[in-house]
């Protein structure tokens, strides 16, 4: 997860502003303040936010795309978009972490659609009512078709969840973050994150029950 490539692309897209070394002061700043400084061209503030959020963004991208090299590219593209759109961030509408992860999620979805691919896994939680498992390479064509149909159903159901619930589920079960890490990324109390996960999974189960399963030949 290298920052240098993002810098190269930022320079190509319009240059950067260098500021005096204010590392100690900046490290104590909130995300919101750092974003405002990024909007003014402060690359050190950009570096600090990259250090704070590169791991969850990369983890989410890697789990959704199933390819580390593509996830690396998506990570760079996410932060390039952030650099270009920092002035559009509105703290009143949610945390910076949530906003950034939404950018990454949308880029991953665009990539999957463009390549007509699907996420490699669907192991959100260990619910016995849902057959979350990876398909063995030796599985029959029928089993593989059933698994593909299940992934499509999960994808459609996930798209219907409220964004806060969907994002919490993706960070937990795509990116593999703990409740505490999700709370830190999204700037929310851990109790709120647990509630979103619980309600989101309940809603997901309901949507899957309501979706008619397609007949697999």
């Amino acid at each position: 997860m290298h920052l240098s490539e993002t810098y190269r692309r930022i320079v190509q897209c319009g240059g950067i502003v260098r500021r005096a070394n204010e590392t100690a002061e900046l490290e104590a700043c909130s995300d919101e303040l750092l974003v405002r400084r990024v909007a003014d061209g402060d690359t050190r503030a950009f570096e600090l936010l990259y250090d704070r959020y590169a791991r969850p963004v990369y983890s989410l991208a890697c789990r959704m795309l199933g390819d580390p090299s593509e996830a690396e590219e998506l990570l760079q593209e996410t932060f390039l978009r952030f650099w270009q759109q920092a002035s559009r961030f509105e703290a009143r509408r949610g945390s910076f972490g949530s906003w950034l992860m939404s950018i990454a999620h949308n880029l991953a979805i665009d990539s999957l659609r463009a390549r007509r691919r699907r996420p490699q896994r669907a192991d959100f939680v260990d619910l016995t009512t849902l057959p979350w498992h990876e398909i063995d390479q030796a599985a029959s064509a029928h089993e593989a078709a059933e698994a593909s149909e299940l992934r499509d159903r999960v994808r459609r159901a996930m798209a219907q969840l409220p964004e806060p619930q969907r994002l919490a589920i993706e960070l937990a079960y795509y990116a593999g973050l703990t409740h505490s890490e999700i709370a830190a990324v999204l700037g929310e109390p851990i109790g709120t994150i647990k509630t979103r996960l619980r309600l989101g999974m309940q809603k997901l189960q309901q949507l899957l029950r309501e979706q008619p399963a397609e007949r697999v030949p």
Side-chain angles (χ1 to χ4, degrees):
M1 293 181 286
H2 302 296
L3 182 57
S4 58
E5 176 62 16
T6 305
Y7 266 141
R8 181 186 66 78
R9 296 171 70 180
I10 287 173
V11 171
Q12 290 177 341
C13 289
I16 56 178
V17 176
R18 299 285 183 184
R19 294 182 182 272
N21 184 7
E22 302 171 333
T23 301
E25 293 182 7
L26 285 176
E27 286 179 347
C29 288
S30 66
D31 289 349
E32 183 179 350
L33 179 56
L34 290 176
V35 173
R36 289 203 298 267
R37 297 187 65 131
V38 171
D40 290 335
D42 190 332
T43 58
R44 182 54 189 149
F46 177 85
E47 290 175 2
L48 289 171
L49 287 170
Y50 186 97
D51 289 343
R52 291 179 186 181
Y53 292 99
R55 175 178 170 268
V57 169
Y58 176 79
S59 296
L60 178 64
C62 200
R63 294 297 294 276
M64 291 188 71
L65 300 178
D67 184 314
S69 62
E70 289 186 20
E72 179 74 28
E73 178 65 21
L74 189 140
L75 169 67
Q76 306 304 333
E77 182 64 26
T78 298
F79 276 90
L80 178 62
R81 293 282 183 92
F82 160 47
W83 174 265
Q84 296 169 332
Q85 301 175 13
S87 61
R88 299 182 185 180
F89 170 68
E90 299 180 28
R92 63 182 177 81
R93 300 182 62 181
S95 70
F96 169 72
S98 179
W99 182 72
L100 186 70
M101 297 303 292
S102 292
I103 293 176
H105 172 269
N106 291 335
L107 287 172
I109 292 298
D110 289 345
S111 180
L112 290 169
R113 286 173 176 165
R115 294 166 178 77
R116 294 185 179 181
R117 292 174 50 189
R118 295 292 183 265
Q120 298 296 308
R121 296 178 63 93
D123 54 347
F124 295 103
V125 289
D126 57 349
L127 296 172
T128 58
T129 55
L130 295 176
W132 307 127
H133 62 281
E134 291 192 68
I135 301 303
D136 187 87
Q137 292 181 349
S140 68
H142 182 78
E143 290 173 325
E146 286 184 335
S148 178
E149 191 271 334
L150 172 61
R151 285 195 293 269
D152 284 345
R153 291 177 63 207
V154 170
R155 175 180 54 80
R156 292 194 299 268
M158 286 286 289
Q160 297 180 60
L161 294 178
E163 183 174 354
Q165 294 176 11
R166 173 187 57 73
L167 190 56
I169 289 174
E170 287 174 343
L171 289 176
Y173 304 113
Y174 272 153
L177 302 188
T178 67
H179 292 169
S180 297
E181 289 171 332
I182 297 170
V185 167
L186 300 183
E188 300 281 2
I190 191 169
T192 299
I193 297 304
K194 290 180 178 179
T195 299
R196 286 179 183 174
L197 286 170
R198 176 174 55 81
L199 295 178
M201 288 310 304
Q202 290 175 351
K203 181 64 174 178
L204 184 60
Q205 287 184 288
Q206 177 187 342
L207 291 168
L208 288 170
R209 285 195 298 267
E210 294 173 352
Q211 278 187 24
E214 298 179 4
R215 289 183 61 85
V216 177

